[in-house]
Amino acid sequence: MPQATQTKRAPVSGEFDVAIVGAGFGGMYMLHRLRGLGLSAIVFDVASGVGGTWYWNRYPGARCDVESMQYSYSFSEELQQEWQWTELFAAQPEILRYANFVADKLDLRRDMRFETRVTDAVFDETAHRWTVRTDRGDVVSARFCVMATGCLSAARMPDFPGLSSFKGKTYHTGYWPHEGVDFTGKRVGVIGTGSSAIQAIPVIAAQAAHVTVFQRTPNYSIPSRNGPMPEVYSQSWKGNYPALRAEARMARNGILANPNDVSAIATPEQERLAVYEDRWASGGTTFMAAFNDLITNKASNDTAAAFVRGKIKAIVKDPATAELLAPTNYPIGTKRICVDTDYYLTYNKPNVSLVDVKNTPIEAITPDGLRVGNEEYKFDAIVFATGFDAMTGALTKMGIVGRNGATLAAKWEAGPRTYLGLMTAGFPNMFMITGPGSPSVLSNMIVSIEQHVDWISDCLSHLSDRQIDCIEPALSAEDAWVRHVNEVADTTLYPSAASWYMGANIPGKPRVFMPYIGGVGAYRQKCDEIAAKGYEGFQMEGPVNAAVAAE
Ligand code: NAP
């Protein structure tokens, strides 16, 4: 869990143009752009440094599954030319080094306050300003608030009875100790089989005496085919970055995935299998771009799912374990596709076992381990790879209070409601970077972060040029956007899976498909059109011309 406050400093007070919550890739770039606009800003983050998700997720094997050459800022030619990635898919320490390299180059830290949790942000309707308070006694007044809080930042520990009774060590993948963990000779239980677990299990198994994996739902995982970065490959990107970045910004997921614009089911079987073999051999999430209808046509999806199940069964030697690892009850890709290095192979090791907790759930954590049904498993350490309160958790946990004293948590009780995933009605002057209702987690996050930060920066310039000091979406525009987000989701197979995209991993969380699946390029065009029409769907007020309404 987040570390205790360490560094002494005086509380911050006074007025800023913008308060930013979060010093990950969103908050860092937002600060840089605001400086360019001549606006004053302060950034708060619980972490002791920059990097956001890459600061916290230090579990063994943590690695990005977007190619390194595509997972970096594109706004500065100098940054993208100077930084050298060492692997095709960068590991967490290297991405964190990259975040620090950017922070150094842009001298970002002087406007950041770390080890500081924003406890509440309250909008003053008369002054059109936010008052932001922290657990370090900071109280700042800001015209605008930018929530750069990340989509997967509120780690979730299931409420198992007996948790505090465990005598060994417990870890959550999302809050991994900075000093690392030595599992040598230890009996380790891992709860969960999502992206984090799938990356961590092979690495932990290489060290531990025994690893027992508790699986509720199996995932489809594609080999990453990671390796050292070939210089020629790096140069092919660096030599052509402007064009490639422009293409990525308009691509469906913000990633150059070489999409095959052909239906799977309309393709003859042998040809189709050859395409899957090819994608499997080249590895990574672009497997889902093998055909154009894998997320919309169940029959097409079934062919991809069957192919991956076949691979799992070919790799895993014990038929019962292979059967358990092969997903059958949801379409491939509708829970976040995973990417691994030797995940399935790891189950062939004598020190790794798999326990199905689908029908007989984990009942309790005990002093010596955990209990499933009548069986007790004994461990020296338990790793919770149990995921996040995704997309909304970080926001609804903060005390965000908008007009009429209404809280964001109450407004979103039945699911998040936003206009473009950028703002929410009733909370003027509060922007979200990659908020629910935007492509966010369905995309290359850095591409989506840059798009949102650029849009917000342009919007702030627009307001400042017109001396408008208050902006907020019209409820009708928000309602229409929420309807559109749902309609587009319903044209796909996504809502059929009990995924964290749907809030299904959190007991009691409403089942709403949270990200926007209309595509990164289409979404960007929509945002640009709205801006070009004078921020259509937004209401504006200002002290100079209080009558300025939605243009
Ligand atoms: P996750 O995908 O939500 O996986 C959590 C796992 O814990 C699931 O297998 C879940 O089972 C299981 N679980 C939760 N509560 C449980 C309980 N009470 N009993 C038993 N099992 C339980 O979380 P994650 O693996 O941390 O990944 C979250 C997201 O972060 C990913 O989908 C991805 O977007 C991102 N991520 C990306 C990378 C990468 O770039 N390579 C790496 C890591 C994470 P159910 O499925 O049944 O709920």
Side-chain angles (χ1 to χ4, degrees):
M1 293 291 145
Q3 301 155 323
T5 294
Q6 290 164 340
T7 316
K8 283 207 171 6
R9 66 166 176 82
V12 184
S13 59
E15 299 206 337
F16 293 86
D17 293 315
V18 185
I20 301 171
V21 188
F25 284 118
M28 289 168 66
Y29 182 40
M30 190 75 245
L31 173 61
H32 176 66
R33 284 298 317 266
L34 293 173
R35 283 182 181 169
L37 295 174
L39 297 175
S40 61
I42 179 98
V43 182
F44 295 112
D45 198 301
V46 185
S48 61
V50 296
T53 197
W54 300 106
Y55 174 92
W56 294 108
N57 286 270
R58 298 169 188 245
Y59 61 83
R63 183 178 296 287
C64 188
D65 59 14
V66 174
E67 270 194 16
S68 307
M69 295 312 297
Q70 304 198 48
Y71 193 79
S72 59
Y73 288 125
S74 71
F75 67 84
S76 157
E77 181 61 7
E78 189 189 335
L79 288 178
Q80 67 185 6
Q81 290 301 333
E82 193 172 329
W83 183 257
Q84 301 288 348
W85 295 105
T86 65
E87 290 183 279
L88 284 168
F89 293 90
Q92 174 272 336
E94 187 170 23
I95 304 174
L96 190 58
R97 280 199 298 280
Y98 170 72
N100 279 286
F101 155 80
V102 176
D104 288 341
K105 290 287 280 188
L106 305 179
D107 187 20
L108 295 177
R109 290 189 202 82
R110 69 183 149 88
D111 291 321
M112 294 178 160
R113 298 296 176 274
F114 295 112
E115 298 162 353
T116 303
R117 180 178 292 282
V118 170
T119 51
D120 56 86
V122 180
F123 185 66
D124 178 335
E125 291 185 62
T126 314
H128 291 167
R129 296 186 74 88
W130 285 90
T131 302
V132 176
R133 291 189 176 78
T134 77
D135 63 354
R136 300 288 296 270
D138 310 298
V139 184
V140 302
S141 166
R143 173 74 63 211
F144 300 98
C145 240
V146 177
M147 298 301 176
T149 40
C151 297
L152 295 156
S153 49
R156 180 186 166 257
M157 195 73 150
D159 200 7
F160 292 119
L163 188 56
S164 58
S165 73
F166 182 58
K167 291 186 291 195
K169 298 270 194 197
T170 57
Y171 306 98
H172 191 291
T173 46
Y175 285 131
W176 204 258
H178 287 200
E179 61 281 12
V181 180
D182 183 2
F183 288 113
T184 308
K186 304 271 194 268
R187 297 161 306 167
V188 183
V190 178
I191 304 176
T193 49
S195 297
S196 303
I198 280 177
Q199 290 185 328
I201 288 163
V203 186
I204 297 175
Q207 211 178 40
H210 195 94
V211 175
T212 309
V213 178
F214 296 88
Q215 172 186 275
R216 189 165 66 184
T217 314
N219 263 296
Y220 296 92
S221 188
I222 312 294
S224 75
R225 312 291 179 204
N226 183 38
M229 176 68 70
E231 181 55 22
V232 60
Y233 189 64
S234 169
Q235 283 312 323
S236 72
W237 274 86
K238 289 192 172 186
N240 206 11
Y241 249 143
L244 294 169
R245 298 289 204 186
E247 206 182 316
R249 285 183 200 116
M250 295 313 291
R252 176 161 189 86
N253 300 105
I255 302 170
L256 298 189
N258 190 17
N260 181 20
D261 198 14
V262 174
S263 156
I265 204 66
T267 303
E269 191 181 358
Q270 286 316 311
E271 215 176 294
R272 189 168 63 220
L273 286 174
V275 172
Y276 287 141
E277 285 292 356
D278 232 39
R279 294 269 169 174
W280 183 266
S282 55
T285 56
T286 58
F287 182 84
M288 290 305 293
F291 293 100
N292 66 7
D293 56 354
L294 294 184
I295 61 157
T296 50
N297 182 323
K298 179 68 168 52
S300 286
N301 186 287
D302 285 346
T303 65
F307 174 85
V308 175
R309 279 195 295 271
K311 288 291 182 194
I312 296 169
K313 289 177 184 173
I315 298 168
V316 180
K317 288 189 184 136
D318 173 49
T321 305
E323 197 63 43
L324 271 181
L325 286 168
T328 50
N329 65 347
Y330 62 94
I332 184 170
T334 55
K335 277 167 89 83
R336 170 68 149 69
I337 193 107
C338 299
V339 171
D340 70 277
T341 300
D342 297 342
Y343 175 62
Y344 296 119
L345 265 180
T346 298
Y347 289 93
N348 293 338
K349 291 183 145 198
N351 68 330
V352 178
S353 41
L354 181 66
V355 177
D356 176 20
V357 292
K358 178 89 190 158
N359 299 317
T360 315
I362 296 168
E363 231 166 69
I365 307 293
T366 64
D368 293 319
L370 60 79
R371 198 170 58 244
V372 178
N374 293 327
E375 188 133 6
E376 185 173 3
Y377 297 84
K378 298 198 171 182
F379 298 118
D380 303 305
I382 301 178
V383 173
F384 292 84
T386 45
F388 300 87
D389 185 352
M391 305 211 68
T392 56
L395 291 165
T396 53
K397 281 190 182 78
M398 220 185 301
I400 299 177
V401 182
R403 286 196 193 278
N404 304 316
T407 65
L408 186 70
K411 176 174 175 182
W412 285 6
E413 215 175 344
R417 301 188 72 79
T418 72
Y419 183 36
L420 300 171
L422 276 160
M423 295 192 90
T424 185
F427 298 80
N429 290 3
M430 185 188 88
F431 295 93
M432 291 165 280
I433 297 180
T434 65
S438 74
S440 57
V441 291
L442 296 174
S443 70
N444 179 347
M445 285 303 292
I446 300 199
V447 170
S448 287
I449 282 169
E450 285 192 330
Q451 185 248 333
H452 266 193
V453 169
D454 289 338
W455 192 95
I456 294 167
S457 303
D458 292 347
C459 177
L460 294 184
S461 294
H462 176 94
L463 300 182
S464 149
D465 290 349
R466 289 160 183 76
Q467 292 171 297
I468 294 164
D469 69 5
C470 192
I471 180 166
E472 167 184 10
L475 201 53
S476 55
E478 178 169 293
D479 288 346
W481 183 252
V482 171
R483 253 196 322 277
H484 175 62
V485 170
N486 287 318
E487 278 163 12
V488 182
D490 287 341
T491 64
T492 74
L493 302 169
Y494 274 86
S496 61
S499 66
W500 60 255
Y501 297 130
M502 298 288 295
N505 62 327
I506 307 288
K509 192 166 173 174
R511 298 267 176 123
V512 177
F513 190 74
M514 294 182 284
Y516 177 57
I517 199 170
V520 164
Y523 171 80
R524 175 185 295 271
Q525 274 171 341
K526 181 82 191 154
C527 290
D528 289 349
E529 271 165 35
I530 284 169
K533 288 183 190 161
Y535 295 88
E536 187 182 48
F538 289 92
Q539 297 167 339
M540 303 181 194
E541 313 170 38
V544 173
N545 177 5
V548 177
E551 288 167 87

PDB file of all heavy atoms in Angstrom, residues 465-482:
ATOM      1  N   ASP A 465      -8.590  33.405 -24.122  1.00  0.00           N
ATOM      2  CA  ASP A 465      -8.700  34.424 -25.183  1.00  0.00           C
ATOM      3  C   ASP A 465     -10.023  35.182 -25.084  1.00  0.00           C
ATOM      4  O   ASP A 465     -10.116  36.341 -25.458  1.00  0.00           O
ATOM      5  CB  ASP A 465      -8.642  33.768 -26.577  1.00  0.00           C
ATOM      6  CG  ASP A 465      -7.265  33.226 -26.877  1.00  0.00           C
ATOM      7  OD1 ASP A 465      -6.328  33.547 -26.108  1.00  0.00           O
ATOM      8  OD2 ASP A 465      -7.125  32.466 -27.868  1.00  0.00           O
ATOM      9  N   ARG A 466     -11.061  34.494 -24.604  1.00  0.00           N
ATOM     10  CA  ARG A 466     -12.394  35.107 -24.548  1.00  0.00           C
ATOM     11  C   ARG A 466     -12.771  35.546 -23.146  1.00  0.00           C
ATOM     12  O   ARG A 466     -13.913  35.874 -22.880  1.00  0.00           O
ATOM     13  CB  ARG A 466     -13.433  34.106 -25.088  1.00  0.00           C
ATOM     14  CG  ARG A 466     -13.318  33.922 -26.585  1.00  0.00           C
ATOM     15  CD  ARG A 466     -13.956  32.631 -27.068  1.00  0.00           C
ATOM     16  NE  ARG A 466     -13.751  32.488 -28.505  1.00  0.00           N
ATOM     17  CZ  ARG A 466     -12.594  32.114 -29.060  1.00  0.00           C
ATOM     18  NH1 ARG A 466     -11.531  31.857 -28.308  1.00  0.00           N
ATOM     19  NH2 ARG A 466     -12.484  32.016 -30.382  1.00  0.00           N
ATOM     20  N   GLN A 467     -11.803  35.475 -22.251  1.00  0.00           N
ATOM     21  CA  GLN A 467     -12.027  35.830 -20.844  1.00  0.00           C
ATOM     22  C   GLN A 467     -13.222  35.084 -20.246  1.00  0.00           C
ATOM     23  O   GLN A 467     -14.058  35.647 -19.546  1.00  0.00           O
ATOM     24  CB  GLN A 467     -12.168  37.340 -20.685  1.00  0.00           C
ATOM     25  CG  GLN A 467     -10.840  38.022 -20.970  1.00  0.00           C
ATOM     26  CD  GLN A 467     -10.996  39.506 -21.045  1.00  0.00           C
ATOM     27  OE1 GLN A 467     -11.698  40.031 -21.912  1.00  0.00           O
ATOM     28  NE2 GLN A 467     -10.335  40.194 -20.133  1.00  0.00           N
ATOM     29  N   ILE A 468     -13.278  33.810 -20.564  1.00  0.00           N
ATOM     30  CA  ILE A 468     -14.317  32.942 -19.995  1.00  0.00           C
ATOM     31  C   ILE A 468     -13.650  32.186 -18.852  1.00  0.00           C
ATOM     32  O   ILE A 468     -12.540  31.675 -19.019  1.00  0.00           O
ATOM     33  CB  ILE A 468     -14.820  31.942 -21.063  1.00  0.00           C
ATOM     34  CG1 ILE A 468     -15.545  32.699 -22.166  1.00  0.00           C
ATOM     35  CG2 ILE A 468     -15.707  30.879 -20.449  1.00  0.00           C
ATOM     36  CD1 ILE A 468     -15.742  31.893 -23.433  1.00  0.00           C
ATOM     37  N   ASP A 469     -14.289  32.145 -17.706  1.00  0.00           N
ATOM     38  CA  ASP A 469     -13.583  31.447 -16.625  1.00  0.00           C
ATOM     39  C   ASP A 469     -14.321  30.222 -16.110  1.00  0.00           C
ATOM     40  O   ASP A 469     -13.945  29.650 -15.097  1.00  0.00           O
ATOM     41  CB  ASP A 469     -13.239  32.422 -15.487  1.00  0.00           C
ATOM     42  CG  ASP A 469     -14.463  32.898 -14.732  1.00  0.00           C
ATOM     43  OD1 ASP A 469     -15.564  32.400 -15.038  1.00  0.00           O
ATOM     44  OD2 ASP A 469     -14.299  33.748 -13.857  1.00  0.00           O
ATOM     45  N   CYS A 470     -15.341  29.795 -16.838  1.00  0.00           N
ATOM     46  CA  CYS A 470     -16.059  28.618 -16.359  1.00  0.00           C
ATOM     47  C   CYS A 470     -16.609  27.822 -17.537  1.00  0.00           C
ATOM     48  O   CYS A 470     -17.284  28.375 -18.406  1.00  0.00           O
ATOM     49  CB  CYS A 470     -17.203  29.082 -15.448  1.00  0.00           C
ATOM     50  SG  CYS A 470     -17.935  27.749 -14.523  1.00  0.00           S
ATOM     51  N   ILE A 471     -16.304  26.550 -17.554  1.00  0.00           N
ATOM     52  CA  ILE A 471     -16.788  25.674 -18.643  1.00  0.00           C
ATOM     53  C   ILE A 471     -17.294  24.372 -18.036  1.00  0.00           C
ATOM     54  O   ILE A 471     -16.726  23.860 -17.064  1.00  0.00           O
ATOM     55  CB  ILE A 471     -15.676  25.407 -19.686  1.00  0.00           C
ATOM     56  CG1 ILE A 471     -16.216  24.492 -20.799  1.00  0.00           C
ATOM     57  CG2 ILE A 471     -14.430  24.780 -19.049  1.00  0.00           C
ATOM     58  CD1 ILE A 471     -15.331  24.432 -22.030  1.00  0.00           C
ATOM     59  N   GLU A 472     -18.341  23.879 -18.645  1.00  0.00           N
ATOM     60  CA  GLU A 472     -18.965  22.658 -18.114  1.00  0.00           C
ATOM     61  C   GLU A 472     -19.819  22.047 -19.219  1.00  0.00           C
ATOM     62  O   GLU A 472     -20.425  22.781 -19.999  1.00  0.00           O
ATOM     63  CB  GLU A 472     -19.847  23.100 -16.938  1.00  0.00           C
ATOM     64  CG  GLU A 472     -20.803  22.102 -16.421  1.00  0.00           C
ATOM     65  CD  GLU A 472     -21.697  22.690 -15.313  1.00  0.00           C
ATOM     66  OE1 GLU A 472     -21.685  23.930 -15.083  1.00  0.00           O
ATOM     67  OE2 GLU A 472     -22.411  21.908 -14.715  1.00  0.00           O
ATOM     68  N   PRO A 473     -19.896  20.740 -19.322  1.00  0.00           N
ATOM     69  CA  PRO A 473     -20.756  20.171 -20.364  1.00  0.00           C
ATOM     70  C   PRO A 473     -22.234  20.398 -20.054  1.00  0.00           C
ATOM     71  O   PRO A 473     -22.625  20.382 -18.885  1.00  0.00           O
ATOM     72  CB  PRO A 473     -20.449  18.671 -20.325  1.00  0.00           C
ATOM     73  CG  PRO A 473     -19.510  18.434 -19.234  1.00  0.00           C
ATOM     74  CD  PRO A 473     -19.223  19.706 -18.519  1.00  0.00           C
ATOM     75  N   ALA A 474     -23.007  20.581 -21.100  1.00  0.00           N
ATOM     76  CA  ALA A 474     -24.464  20.616 -20.926  1.00  0.00           C
ATOM     77  C   ALA A 474     -24.916  19.190 -20.643  1.00  0.00           C
ATOM     78  O   ALA A 474     -24.380  18.231 -21.225  1.00  0.00           O
ATOM     79  CB  ALA A 474     -25.115  21.123 -22.211  1.00  0.00           C
ATOM     80  N   LEU A 475     -25.891  19.063 -19.768  1.00  0.00           N
ATOM     81  CA  LEU A 475     -26.374  17.726 -19.401  1.00  0.00           C
ATOM     82  C   LEU A 475     -26.864  16.965 -20.635  1.00  0.00           C
ATOM     83  O   LEU A 475     -26.641  15.759 -20.771  1.00  0.00           O
ATOM     84  CB  LEU A 475     -27.506  17.870 -18.375  1.00  0.00           C
ATOM     85  CG  LEU A 475     -27.789  16.658 -17.513  1.00  0.00           C
ATOM     86  CD1 LEU A 475     -26.530  16.145 -16.828  1.00  0.00           C
ATOM     87  CD2 LEU A 475     -28.859  16.999 -16.483  1.00  0.00           C
ATOM     88  N   SER A 476     -27.490  17.705 -21.570  1.00  0.00           N
ATOM     89  CA  SER A 476     -28.031  17.035 -22.766  1.00  0.00           C
ATOM     90  C   SER A 476     -26.895  16.458 -23.613  1.00  0.00           C
ATOM     91  O   SER A 476     -27.003  15.355 -24.158  1.00  0.00           O
ATOM     92  CB  SER A 476     -28.856  18.017 -23.591  1.00  0.00           C
ATOM     93  OG  SER A 476     -28.062  19.151 -23.885  1.00  0.00           O
ATOM     94  N   ALA A 477     -25.768  17.198 -23.688  1.00  0.00           N
ATOM     95  CA  ALA A 477     -24.620  16.709 -24.471  1.00  0.00           C
ATOM     96  C   ALA A 477     -24.025  15.481 -23.792  1.00  0.00           C
ATOM     97  O   ALA A 477     -23.658  14.496 -24.440  1.00  0.00           O
ATOM     98  CB  ALA A 477     -23.568  17.808 -24.594  1.00  0.00           C
ATOM     99  N   GLU A 478     -23.958  15.545 -22.484  1.00  0.00           N
ATOM    100  CA  GLU A 478     -23.415  14.405 -21.726  1.00  0.00           C
ATOM    101  C   GLU A 478     -24.310  13.168 -21.910  1.00  0.00           C
ATOM    102  O   GLU A 478     -23.810  12.065 -22.179  1.00  0.00           O
ATOM    103  CB  GLU A 478     -23.324  14.787 -20.255  1.00  0.00           C
ATOM    104  CG  GLU A 478     -22.809  13.665 -19.372  1.00  0.00           C
ATOM    105  CD  GLU A 478     -22.498  14.175 -17.978  1.00  0.00           C
ATOM    106  OE1 GLU A 478     -21.545  14.971 -17.857  1.00  0.00           O
ATOM    107  OE2 GLU A 478     -23.193  13.789 -17.025  1.00  0.00           O
ATOM    108  N   ASP A 479     -25.607  13.382 -21.780  1.00  0.00           N
ATOM    109  CA  ASP A 479     -26.540  12.249 -21.933  1.00  0.00           C
ATOM    110  C   ASP A 479     -26.395  11.614 -23.319  1.00  0.00           C
ATOM    111  O   ASP A 479     -26.380  10.390 -23.460  1.00  0.00           O
ATOM    112  CB  ASP A 479     -27.997  12.708 -21.735  1.00  0.00           C
ATOM    113  CG  ASP A 479     -28.290  13.029 -20.267  1.00  0.00           C
ATOM    114  OD1 ASP A 479     -27.473  12.649 -19.412  1.00  0.00           O
ATOM    115  OD2 ASP A 479     -29.320  13.674 -20.009  1.00  0.00           O
ATOM    116  N   ALA A 480     -26.279  12.483 -24.321  1.00  0.00           N
ATOM    117  CA  ALA A 480     -26.163  11.972 -25.697  1.00  0.00           C
ATOM    118  C   ALA A 480     -24.854  11.193 -25.859  1.00  0.00           C
ATOM    119  O   ALA A 480     -24.819  10.143 -26.519  1.00  0.00           O
ATOM    120  CB  ALA A 480     -26.224  13.133 -26.690  1.00  0.00           C
ATOM    121  N   TRP A 481     -23.774  11.695 -25.228  1.00  0.00           N
ATOM    122  CA  TRP A 481     -22.483  10.992 -25.351  1.00  0.00           C
ATOM    123  C   TRP A 481     -22.537   9.634 -24.651  1.00  0.00           C
ATOM    124  O   TRP A 481     -22.081   8.624 -25.192  1.00  0.00           O
ATOM    125  CB  TRP A 481     -21.331  11.850 -24.797  1.00  0.00           C
ATOM    126  CG  TRP A 481     -20.014  11.165 -24.990  1.00  0.00           C
ATOM    127  CD1 TRP A 481     -19.223  10.595 -24.035  1.00  0.00           C
ATOM    128  CD2 TRP A 481     -19.327  10.939 -26.240  1.00  0.00           C
ATOM    129  NE1 TRP A 481     -18.105  10.031 -24.598  1.00  0.00           N
ATOM    130  CE2 TRP A 481     -18.144  10.229 -25.946  1.00  0.00           C
ATOM    131  CE3 TRP A 481     -19.618  11.275 -27.568  1.00  0.00           C
ATOM    132  CZ2 TRP A 481     -17.241   9.843 -26.949  1.00  0.00           C
ATOM    133  CZ3 TRP A 481     -18.713  10.880 -28.561  1.00  0.00           C
ATOM    134  CH2 TRP A 481     -17.550  10.179 -28.243  1.00  0.00           C
ATOM    135  N   VAL A 482     -23.128   9.615 -23.454  1.00  0.00           N
ATOM    136  CA  VAL A 482     -23.225   8.350 -22.717  1.00  0.00           C
ATOM    137  C   VAL A 482     -24.031   7.337 -23.541  1.00  0.00           C
ATOM    138  O   VAL A 482     -23.653   6.162 -23.657  1.00  0.00           O
ATOM    139  CB  VAL A 482     -23.858   8.571 -21.311  1.00  0.00           C
ATOM    140  CG1 VAL A 482     -24.168   7.238 -20.625  1.00  0.00           C
ATOM    141  CG2 VAL A 482     -22.944   9.422 -20.448  1.00  0.00           C
TER     142      VAL A 482
END
